[in-house]
Structure formats: structure tokens, C-alpha cells
Amino acid sequence: MNVHTGTDASGYVTSETPPEAKRPRAPSIRDVAKLAGVSHQTVSRVLNNHPSIRDETKSRVLAVMGELQYRPNRAARALVTSRSRTIGVLTSHRSEYGPASSIQAIEEAAVLQGYLVVTANAEGADSHSIARAITHLLDQAVEGIVVIAPQVRVFDTLAEMQLDLPFVTLQSTGRLNDHALSVDQMTGARLATRHLIELGHRGIYHLAGPQDWIEAEARMEGFLREMGDQDVPTTAPILGDWTAEFGYHAGRELLRVRDFTAIFSSNDQMALGLMHAIHDEGLDVPRDISVVGFDDIPEAAHFWPPLTTVRQDFAELGRRCVALLIDHDELPEGTDAPGSVIPTLVVRSSTAPPSA
Amino acid sequence: MNVHTGTDASGYVTSETPPEAKRPRAPSIRDVAKLAGVSHQTVSRVLNNHPSIRDETKSRVLAVMGELQYRPNRAARALVTSRSRTIGVLTSHRSEYGPASSIQAIEEAAVLQGYLVVTANAEGADSHSIARAITHLLDQAVEGIVVIAPQVRVFDTLAEMQLDLPFVTLQSTGRLNDHALSVDQMTGARLATRHLIELGHRGIYHLAGPQDWIEAEARMEGFLREMGDQDVPTTAPILGDWTAEFGYHAGRELLRVRDFTAIFSSNDQMALGLMHAIHDEGLDVPRDISVVGFDDIPEAAHFWPPLTTVRQDFAELGRRCVALLIDHDELPEGTDAPGSVIPTLVVRSSTAPPSA
DNA sequence: CCACTCTTTGTGAACGTGCACACCGGCACT
DNA sequence: AGTGCCGGTGTGCACGTTCACAAAGAGTGG
């Protein structure tokens, strides 16, 4: 591991400060102005492409900017406008596939709008670390927060801190909105559940995620409703923690009774652990037990057997979050985003009709 | 999906601006000063805990800060000090486990030092998108860059742009340093290879990563050296792209000849694809073919069969990067970081002696 | 008691940008 | 010709912080 500075070929041998070094201050708006023979304000106008500026002036200024390699100073701008053009992302489990790809999409979308993204991970997801994460974001003067985390607790903490900050989550909350759970996640869960029912399964378990995650709640809700609608007797879902490890142990536990022929897992990782447990018992997927996941992480197609799962368009979700956050005041207050992202069922080889 | 503003319970019905609203400017250093009965400079000194300040004064100022919920304005500070206290992370494949967890570690370490982390993803990893990513980082006035990407190209681009910016990579480059490849990655690869050789395998393939990733190069180098040292005839490594998908197709291809009994894959995802291909052919892992991965992603323990792999301490790597970057001028120029992170071999069930 | 130092505090000027306002010239309308 | 307006440009200040410098008070040594 090494540190490099770009140009290492300088001829200096002495470690004294090279004569007349005095790191030559980056060019400012005024330097550009002087060289272009205009006032700094004109340069500023070019920068913010103000309408009334003569084309010729504009191009002259732009030319000088290129020549000087001018870069607007974000700090100065933030200082005077008192707008940071920064949005914060609050996560937990940020290195897992779902959150990670959402972050990526958020970042891409934000950059496109000239915004900066700052992330803060609340490992452990307890109130304390959530508060710490929020504080970090606040220190960066974020203008809004995207929440990819146990939202209930985040909301509570946010309220506790009495912040008047716009925030947005990957799903509508079901709390502030009186259980107006977002359709998409639920639809996905229903899709998965229906698939199992249509294959002929009746003993179906649901391995849910932590219930203070809205996604988890919505998926569970979808499962329960679909089971209800189709008059299939339902057993209580098991509450997991998203990890393969948990899926494995839950599987071991479940298989001691084995009063089921299918499991719908709230994400792909837990499904993987589940299949591991099933294999460990000498059973086969899908012959003995069918498994459905959720998310369609890139690896899911190569699990053994390849996993039937629900594909989530994380990127699209991320993009919408940003859109909503950035021009949220242009939307009528309280309306849901038009056209939810609809997840699709990807049928692979981990599901089959129950074996007689 | 919904946008919320923290306090929604305000009594206003009209959407007119509430009387005397004028968003009450966040408290500044001067507000604190006034209330504490000192000068703004004294407050500043408390902030930067300057040595010569009376304890009593200090605590009084701190008290007022707490009372006012004062937060230092980062932009103002950056403006005057012309230091952004920001470091950039340049990635590609950022949502994959390895990069993602490194980023997380980097961020944690950076925050601890009062630094901000900005990420930029060069999707596609071509020169153009790398340049774009670097530009984005530059716009944030980053003070240094951590590279988690095809480093060769990043270095070239950096050089092309003639930037005098400290940067650090997860591994020393092998280019600038005349092939002083970092030991750790190589050691890991040797560990994996030796494990296979010791089990009795002789026909061993290596599925490598893209060769402009230093990690990939180092792992391949480790494989080749170990094979050489142990006098095992070597076949040319296959160059992959880190994805399970590629591993699968490479596996299908390889199995048409089947002149091997073991494969060492440069990461876990490709190993997963490989095992998928092997299963597809009706073969068994490890009975017919042994597979070793690299990284030990959390899912690896639950692959079928559970994957023998090399554990990487991404978090530690991230932490070191930051340490190196932030106080890099305190280290003697050009020395490697003391005590590389040594990866360990995790033996699970995907490896066994060759079947006769 | 003076000269000096050291600690603790204050004063004023930057930093680079955007905003409010003023200014100038030309055109259209009266 | 005067009045008003509009496109295009310039002037000065403000944003919140740190830095360089100075000043006031306390202590110390001769």
C-alpha cells in the first residue's frame, strides 16, 4: 500500500520548501473576469447561465475558464447561497446488495442534478447509532435525507431531534400515512406467494425481514393478504434479519417439524441460507421444498438451484427518491409518486409443484 | 413513496408564507460569541481547541453552543482554510460486496478523523467514465483519492489530467513501484493454490479477474508463483470480469474438455457461477471438481456446497487507506505501509482430494 | 519600578461566490 | 423630444469562518 503524488519527477533534492513555491491559489471567478475583460459578476452569470448575457461575452468567458482550468468553488457558493446542494443517505447494512445498488442509483441521479451525496451508515441500526448518523449528515448541511434503513426508528429519531428536514424513503411509511403501504413491494410479495399457491403448495412459510423496515413489513403484508385472498391457511411469519446466516438457522429449526412444502423468503440472502439448511438435511430444492426469494441479486441466478425470486429495480427506486427529494416542493403535498416501480417475478429452478 | 417534512403538524392552513417566517438563519459563531459574552475569535478557538484558553471561558462557550444547537459551517471553514477535509473514493462495481464494504470502512475511518467521504463510480471502467468520475471528485475539492477500480487506467487518467493529488489504492501498484506487488493479496492466492496442491490436485485452473485491477493481477501472480514453486504444470489463467455470470460461462466452456480437477477463482462470485456450471453438467463439487474462491463474502458460507475461500479484511484495508491518505506526509516517502493485512484461508466444503 | 514574557482575549481583514441594486444604451411608444 | 422599458453589464456587500496581528493583564527578574 502506497501513497503517490501525481508528479513525482520534480527535481528537488532538498526537502526545504522549493523557492517561490507558495501553492498558487486556484483561479477564482475574479481571475477569469480580469482575463476576459469583464466583471466578476458577469462570470458568475455565465456560471449560472443567466438568460441575459450576450453570446459573444459568454463564449469569451467560457474560453478563459477552459484556459485557466477554472472550477467553481463549492464552499464559497454554499456559503453565500446557504444551500449545500447536498443530500444525505442514511443506511444500515450498506454493503449488502440492495442498499448498495440503491445508493449507487441515488448518487448517479443526484450528480446529474448537480447534487452531492453524502452517506452515513447506522451500523447496528439502534437509536444511538442512527442519531449519530443523522448528526453526521446534519454536519454536512444536507438539504434532505434518503432513508434506507429501519425507517420507523429513523423517523422517531428524526422527530425527537425536531428537525424540519425533508426526507424520503424507498417506500411510503405506512405510519405517517395511516398504513398506505406502497403497492409495489406488496405486489411483489403477492406475486411470489401466488406463484407458490398456483404450483399447488398449501403449507407455506414466510421468512420476513426486521419489522421496522418498511420493505419487510410490506412484503409480509403482501404475503398475508395473498394467502388470505386465496384461502390458504397461514402460519405466523418468522422474523429474520436479512442475513444468509439467519436463513440457515431458521431453516434448520423449521425442518425439525417439516409441516410445509414451500418457503417465501423476504430477500435472496435468507433464501440462500434456507436452501443451505435444506441441503444439509439431505433434502432437495425444489423436489422436497420450494423456495422463493426477493430482490434478484446478481448471484441469485447462480445459486444452486438457481433461485426463483422477485426482481426489484433498485436503480429506478434510487432515481425516484432523488427526483422526489430535489423537486419535492413542486409536487402537490402528500401525493404518492406517480407510477410505482412494479417488481416482476423471475421463475428459475427453486420452485416446483409439491411432490405428491 | 412520499416526502415528509419533519413537523407536519403546523397549524397553518393557508399556503401563504406564514407571517414573520423568514427562515431563521442558523446560529453562527458570532451569535454564540454574543451570548457567551466573548469575541467570535474566542469561540473559534474553542472550536479548534486552541491551547491557551481559560477553562472557564471554554466551558461557558461550550454551554452556549449546546443551548443554541450550534453547528460549525463547513462551507465557511473550507472557504477560509482552503481545505475541504474531503476525500474521494473512486470505484467501479461499487455495489458488489468487496468494494461496498471497503467504502463503508473508508467512510467510517474518515468520519472519525473529521473527514467527509465523497464517492464516484466509474461504471464501465473505461477511460471516459473514469475521467468523468475524477472530475466529479475534483469538483468537490477532494484532498485525496482512494482508488477501488481498475487502477492502471485510473493512474493513466490521473497522470493525463496532470493532477498533483495524493491518492492511495488498496494495493501498491506494481507499476509505479516496479512490480513490488503487495504481499497480502499474493499470499492469499498462494494459500488457496497451496491448499489445492496439498490436497493432491495437479490439473488446476485459475479464473482471474480483469488484469488492470491490481488485486486481480496480484492474485494471479500468487497463483502462478505457487504453482511454479511446487513444480505443478500451469495452464494459462482465464481472464474474467468478477461476475457470477462470467464464471458460469467460463465453467461451461472449461468442462467441454475437463482436463482439470480444481479451479481457483479470483473472487467468490465467479466461483459461484463456476459451481453452477459444474452442477449443470451433473457433476459434483467437490467430488469431481474442487473450487476455491476469494473474498469470503457473507454468502459464501451458504453456497452449495459452502465455499472454501480466502478471507479478506476489507474493513481493515479501508481503514489503512484513510490513515495513509490523511497523514501521508508524516510517513517517509515511498515506504510500504507497515504490516500488511494478511488474508486467511477458510476451508469449507467445496474442496476435497481429487477422486482417484 | 521598569522591561520583558506569557497567557488570554479582541479587532479587522481576508476567502470566492451570489444577490440587490445601479447604470448605460437602445428601442418603442406617446 | 421625452418617457418608460429591457437587455446587458458593473459595484459593493454579505455569507461564517480562520488568520495575522495587537492589546490587556498577570507574572518574573533585575
Side-chain angles (χ1 to χ4, degrees):
Chain A
M1 208 152 51
N2 255 318
V3 182
H4 314 277
T5 56
T7 59
D8 221 352
S10 70
Y12 295 115
V13 181
T14 62
S15 65
E16 307 294 309
T17 57
E20 310 295 303
K22 60 165 180 180
R23 181 172 288 278
R25 201 175 99 296
S28 86
I29 212 181
R30 295 191 132 93
D31 298 322
V32 176
K34 197 173 302 172
L35 218 67
V38 294
S39 77
H40 70 104
Q41 177 57 8
T42 301
V43 178
S44 171
R45 280 191 259 257
V46 171
L47 236 39
N48 304 289
N49 51 12
H50 188 92
S52 66
I53 207 165
R54 232 187 332 159
D55 275 355
E56 191 227 305
T57 319
K58 183 170 182 174
S59 56
R60 185 153 38 104
V61 170
L62 284 173
V64 175
M65 280 180 180
E67 192 181 331
L68 257 53
Q69 297 227 49
Y70 168 78
R71 274 174 207 288
N73 182 322
R74 209 180 168 101
R77 182 176 292 184
L79 181 57
V80 69
T81 57
S82 60
R83 298 208 41 198
S84 63
R85 299 214 122 220
T86 300
I87 71 181
V89 180
L90 179 52
T91 58
S92 74
H93 296 236
R94 75 164 281 177
S95 46
E96 273 173 33
Y97 178 76
S101 36
S102 295
I103 295 176
Q104 181 179 345
I106 289 167
E107 147 121 17
E108 273 163 22
V111 167
L112 242 49
Q113 310 242 21
Y115 274 73
L116 178 63
V117 171
V118 177
T119 56
N121 193 54
E123 203 58 40
D126 54 304
S127 310
H128 179 64
S129 66
I130 286 177
R132 226 166 28 85
I134 292 178
T135 302
H136 176 57
L137 294 182
L138 253 36
D139 285 342
Q140 319 310 323
V142 296
E143 294 178 15
I145 298 182
V146 180
V147 180
I148 311 178
Q151 301 169 8
V152 176
R153 267 181 244 163
V154 173
F155 292 165
D156 291 350
T157 310
L158 237 25
E160 227 168 75
M161 296 174 94
Q162 306 189 26
L163 301 174
D164 187 18
L165 205 59
F167 55 89
V168 61
T169 73
L170 288 181
Q171 299 306 324
S172 72
T173 112
R175 255 220 172 164
L176 305 185
N177 263 12
D178 202 53
H179 277 279
L181 286 179
S182 135
V183 205
D184 30 324
Q185 297 277 343
M186 239 177 36
T187 307
R190 294 184 84 128
L191 247 42
T193 312
R194 191 174 314 148
H195 171 63
L196 290 174
I197 295 172
E198 281 173 355
L199 284 173
H201 292 279
R202 285 303 171 268
I204 307 177
Y205 268 101
H206 177 48
L207 184 47
Q211 286 304 291
D212 49 358
W213 287 65
I214 296 299
E215 293 96 311
E217 197 181 337
R219 290 172 198 174
M220 182 171 117
E221 188 71 17
F223 166 77
L224 292 174
R225 289 210 197 160
E226 188 66 24
M227 293 288 274
D229 287 1
Q230 308 256 358
D231 279 326
V232 182
T234 314
T235 48
I238 299 147
L239 268 42
D241 66 359
W242 298 131
T243 67
E245 192 66 20
F246 185 94
Y248 177 72
H249 289 113
R252 301 292 300 214
E253 201 61 33
L254 240 37
L255 287 166
R256 289 167 50 180
V257 181
R258 218 185 138 189
D259 52 349
F260 62 98
T261 58
I263 308 185
F264 164 41
S265 165
S266 204
N267 76 346
D268 289 349
Q269 279 86 355
M270 291 197 295
L272 180 66
L274 234 25
M275 295 202 296
H276 180 198
I278 295 167
H279 288 141
D280 260 8
E281 292 286 328
L283 299 175
D284 185 76
V285 178
R287 203 192 55 222
D288 301 307
I289 294 169
S290 287
V291 176
V292 181
F294 207 112
D295 282 354
D296 194 27
I297 64 176
E299 286 80 25
H302 300 282
F303 285 176
W304 189 253
L307 187 67
T308 294
T309 187
V310 178
R311 174 173 296 159
Q312 281 247 79
D313 192 344
F314 288 108
E316 180 60 20
L317 283 174
R319 256 171 267 132
R320 300 213 176 181
C321 280
V322 173
L324 216 52
L325 201 52
I326 290 182
D327 11 78
H328 82 280
D329 25 38
E330 294 168 19
L331 292 180
E333 188 70 52
T335 53
D336 266 54
S340 307
V341 186
I342 298 172
T344 57
L345 182 70
V346 181
V347 180
R348 297 205 182 94
S349 320
S350 67
T351 47
S355 54
Chain B
M1 206 154 50
N2 255 318
V3 182
H4 315 278
T5 56
T7 59
D8 222 350
S10 70
Y12 295 115
V13 181
T14 62
S15 65
E16 309 293 312
T17 57
E20 310 295 304
K22 60 165 181 180
R23 180 172 289 278
R25 201 174 100 298
S28 85
I29 211 181
R30 295 191 133 93
D31 299 321
V32 175
K34 197 173 302 171
L35 216 69
V38 295
S39 78
H40 66 107
Q41 175 58 5
T42 302
V43 178
S44 171
R45 280 191 259 258
V46 171
L47 236 40
N48 303 287
N49 50 13
H50 188 91
S52 67
I53 204 161
R54 233 188 328 163
D55 277 354
E56 191 225 306
T57 319
K58 182 170 183 173
S59 55
R60 184 153 37 101
V61 170
L62 285 174
V64 175
M65 280 181 181
E67 193 181 328
L68 290 182
Q69 297 228 49
Y70 167 78
R71 274 174 208 289
N73 182 321
R74 209 179 169 101
R77 181 176 294 185
L79 182 58
V80 68
T81 57
S82 60
R83 298 210 39 199
S84 63
R85 298 214 125 221
T86 299
I87 71 181
V89 179
L90 179 52
T91 59
S92 76
H93 297 236
R94 76 166 281 177
S95 46
E96 272 173 34
Y97 178 75
S101 37
S102 294
I103 295 176
Q104 179 178 346
I106 289 167
E107 147 120 17
E108 274 164 22
V111 167
L112 240 51
Q113 310 242 21
Y115 274 73
L116 178 63
V117 171
V118 177
T119 56
N121 194 51
E123 204 56 41
D126 55 304
S127 308
H128 179 66
S129 66
I130 287 178
R132 226 167 27 86
I134 292 178
T135 302
H136 176 57
L137 295 182
L138 253 35
D139 285 343
Q140 319 311 323
V142 296
E143 294 178 15
I145 298 183
V146 180
V147 180
I148 312 177
Q151 300 167 9
V152 176
R153 268 180 243 163
V154 174
F155 293 165
D156 290 350
T157 310
L158 236 26
E160 228 167 74
M161 297 175 92
Q162 306 191 25
L163 300 173
D164 188 16
L165 205 61
F167 57 89
V168 61
T169 74
L170 288 181
Q171 298 307 322
S172 73
T173 109
R175 253 220 176 165
L176 306 184
N177 263 14
D178 202 52
H179 276 278
L181 286 179
S182 132
V183 206
D184 29 324
Q185 298 275 344
M186 242 180 29
T187 307
R190 293 185 84 128
L191 246 43
T193 311
R194 190 175 312 148
H195 171 62
L196 290 173
I197 295 173
E198 281 173 354
L199 283 172
H201 292 279
R202 285 304 171 266
I204 307 176
Y205 267 102
H206 176 48
L207 184 46
Q211 286 304 289
D212 49 358
W213 287 66
I214 296 300
E215 293 96 310
E217 195 181 339
R219 289 171 200 175
M220 181 171 118
E221 187 72 17
F223 166 76
L224 292 174
R225 288 208 198 166
E226 187 67 23
M227 293 289 273
D229 287 2
Q230 307 256 0
D231 280 324
V232 181
T234 315
T235 49
I238 300 147
L239 267 43
D241 67 359
W242 297 131
T243 69
E245 192 65 20
F246 185 95
Y248 177 71
H249 290 112
R252 301 291 301 213
E253 201 60 33
L254 241 37
L255 288 167
R256 288 166 51 179
V257 181
R258 218 182 138 193
D259 52 348
F260 62 98
T261 58
I263 308 185
F264 164 40
S265 165
S266 203
N267 77 345
D268 289 350
Q269 278 87 355
M270 292 197 294
L272 179 66
L274 235 24
M275 295 202 296
H276 180 199
I278 296 167
H279 289 141
D280 261 7
E281 291 287 326
L283 299 175
D284 184 76
V285 178
R287 202 193 53 223
D288 299 306
I289 294 169
S290 287
V291 175
V292 181
F294 206 112
D295 282 353
D296 195 27
I297 65 176
E299 286 80 25
H302 300 283
F303 286 177
W304 189 252
L307 187 68
T308 295
T309 187
V310 178
R311 174 172 297 159
Q312 280 250 80
D313 192 344
F314 288 107
E316 179 60 20
L317 283 174
R319 254 172 268 132
R320 298 211 176 183
C321 280
V322 173
L324 217 51
L325 201 52
I326 290 181
D327 11 78
H328 82 280
D329 25 38
E330 294 170 17
L331 293 180
E333 188 68 52
T335 54
D336 267 54
S340 307
V341 186
I342 297 171
T344 57
L345 181 72
V346 182
V347 179
R348 297 207 180 93
S349 319
S350 66
T351 47
S355 53

